[in-house]
């Protein structure tokens, strides 16, 4: 069943990615947002980051993440930074709402707890461009070192270019990006408000510790490891220190709440593994659909 299951995961991956039309539409909006930020002087530079930058986006769910590096000066609070960026995007360009990046497009958190701004053409749009405030860190170029808000809305040091470089170095065949998309598809399909950056970091940790065996086993191990660790913070290997903790959620209470969600997903993926060992293709697909949704294709002989 190895070849057939590989075809299932590849087929699922194809239907979860953004279409060229969706990407092009978001790119047009992104260009308008960048122009507004730079022309107003609110940001000194803007950098593409996140899933669209790294090719791990989920169609109809992922936002286009844009890092807006603020003009030098006294370090603002996160609220002040969001106010500056919000004022830079005219109402005529698009609708702008405060959001929390850990939320999914289907369950966007508005207002309290915001760590970024979502720009979309109209309230009916599910996805848009997410503006993430950032502050220059020292004398490094913005792509090499910035401070940006984490899931707990704290300024933390990050190296956006280093994350891209690591992925390029260890993902020559694209399998690691497919695995990241698999995990993000679970998050978005069921509106699980876990930090996407934390989930991506969990996948990277798995890849750095052990060579990929099979997408099914990899997914199982990643979720089970997260459960075993009680959804604890994961050291970011691409941070300036190499140890900056990446938090899965804003608070301990939310982390405890999400623990049960991840446990349920891990159990069903383990059921899929057991069914795979029993050569029960129908049970494998049933378990995967419980975790990833009905877009998982059937096994074909």
């Amino acid at each position: 069943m190895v070849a057939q299951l590989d075809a299932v995961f590849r087929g699922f991956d194809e239907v979860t990615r953004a279409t060229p039309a969706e990407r092009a539409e978001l790119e047009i909006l992104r260009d308008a947002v960048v122009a507004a930020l730079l022309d107003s002087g609110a940001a000194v530079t803007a950098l593409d980051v996140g899933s669209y930058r790294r090719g791990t986006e989920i169609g109809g769910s992922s936002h286009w993440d844009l890092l807006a590096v603020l003009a030098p000066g006294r370090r603002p609070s996160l609220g002040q930074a969001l106010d500056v960026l919000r004022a830079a995007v005219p109402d005529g360009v698009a609708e702008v709402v405060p959001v929390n990046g850990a939320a999914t497009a289907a369950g966007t958190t508005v207002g309290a707890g915001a760590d970024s701004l979502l720009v979309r053409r109209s309230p009916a749009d599910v996805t848009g461009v997410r503006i993430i405030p950032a502050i220059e860190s020292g004398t490094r170029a913005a792509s090499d070192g910035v401070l940006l808000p984490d899931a707990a809305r704290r300024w933390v040091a990050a190296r956006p270019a280093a994350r891209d470089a690591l992925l390029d170095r260890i993902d020559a065949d694209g399998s690691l990006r497919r695995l990241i998309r698999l995990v993000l598809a679970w998050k978005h399909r069921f509106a699980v408000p876990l930090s996407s950056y934390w989930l991506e970091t969990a996948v990277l940790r798995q890849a750095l510790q052990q060579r990929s065996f099979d997408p099914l086993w990899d997914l199982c191990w990643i979720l089970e490891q997260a459960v075993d660790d009680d959804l604890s913070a994961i050291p970011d290997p691409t941070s300036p220190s190499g140890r900056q903790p990446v938090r899965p959620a804003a608070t301990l209470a939310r982390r405890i709440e999400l623990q049960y969600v991840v446990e349920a997903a891990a159990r069903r993926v383990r059921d899929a593994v057991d069914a795979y060992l029993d050569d029960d293709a129908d049970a494998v697909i049933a378990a995967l659909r419980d975790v990833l949704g009905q877009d998982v294709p059937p096994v074909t002989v």
Side-chain angles (χ1 to χ4, degrees):
M1 199 195 302
V2 175
Q4 291 91 337
L5 197 55
D6 182 66
V8 166
F9 281 112
R10 288 181 181 273
F12 178 74
D13 186 64
E14 289 178 6
V15 300
T16 57
R17 298 202 66 180
T19 64
E22 183 179 0
R23 172 180 282 272
E25 186 173 339
L26 283 176
E27 194 164 1
I28 292 170
L29 180 57
R30 176 259 184 208
D31 291 344
V33 171
V34 170
L37 292 173
L38 299 184
D39 291 347
S40 68
V44 294
T45 189
L47 304 170
D48 292 327
V49 293
S51 58
Y52 271 94
R53 165 72 179 181
R54 293 191 274 275
T56 56
E57 80 287 346
I58 303 300
S61 298
S62 295
H63 300 308
W64 188 298
D65 287 343
L66 185 69
L67 211 61
V69 183
L70 300 176
R74 184 175 61 88
R75 182 186 299 182
S77 68
L78 179 55
Q80 290 170 334
L82 293 175
D83 288 342
V84 169
L85 297 173
R86 171 63 186 89
V89 182
D91 292 335
V93 172
E95 181 199 49
V96 183
V97 294
V99 297
N100 184 285
T104 63
T108 300
T109 301
V110 180
D115 59 12
S116 50
L117 299 171
L118 179 62
V119 183
R120 53 192 179 189
R121 291 294 187 189
S122 75
D125 290 344
V126 175
T127 60
V129 174
R130 189 168 72 99
I131 306 175
I132 305 168
I135 305 169
E136 288 184 337
S137 176
T139 58
R140 294 173 177 266
S143 61
D144 292 334
V146 294
L147 299 177
L148 48 77
D150 69 356
R153 305 179 74 246
R154 301 168 181 169
W155 293 113
V156 298
R159 294 192 302 161
R163 177 63 61 114
D164 298 340
L166 176 60
L167 263 176
D168 289 341
R169 178 169 62 83
I170 65 177
D171 188 34
D173 63 355
S175 60
L176 182 56
R177 284 178 172 84
R178 284 196 295 273
L179 183 58
I180 292 172
R181 286 193 293 270
L182 194 62
V183 175
L184 293 181
W186 162 71
K187 165 186 169 164
H188 288 294
R189 291 293 188 271
F190 294 95
V192 182
L194 279 169
S195 162
S196 293
Y197 194 78
W198 181 83
L199 288 169
E200 182 182 271
T201 305
V203 177
L204 285 174
R205 177 179 62 179
Q206 169 74 19
L208 291 171
Q209 291 177 346
Q210 177 176 304
R211 291 189 61 182
S212 175
F213 176 72
D214 173 273
L216 177 59
W217 287 89
D218 291 341
L219 179 61
C220 185
W221 289 332
I222 289 167
L223 293 176
E224 289 182 341
Q225 184 67 61
V227 171
D228 290 344
D229 292 343
D230 295 324
L231 271 62
S232 61
I234 302 172
D236 184 353
T238 60
S239 66
S241 67
R243 299 182 302 276
Q244 176 67 48
V246 179
R247 296 175 176 85
T251 65
L252 175 60
R254 175 51 65 91
R255 200 180 86 194
I256 293 172
E257 175 187 339
L258 292 172
Q259 177 86 4
Y260 297 102
V261 177
V262 180
E263 282 179 358
R267 283 196 300 270
R268 284 305 279 152
V269 176
R270 175 54 67 177
D271 290 341
V273 169
D274 291 342
Y276 169 80
L277 294 175
D278 291 337
D279 202 29
D280 188 342
D282 291 339
V284 171
I285 298 304
L288 287 178
R289 285 176 175 168
D290 284 346
V291 177
L292 300 172
Q294 297 305 306
D295 286 335
V296 176
V299 171
T300 57
V301 179

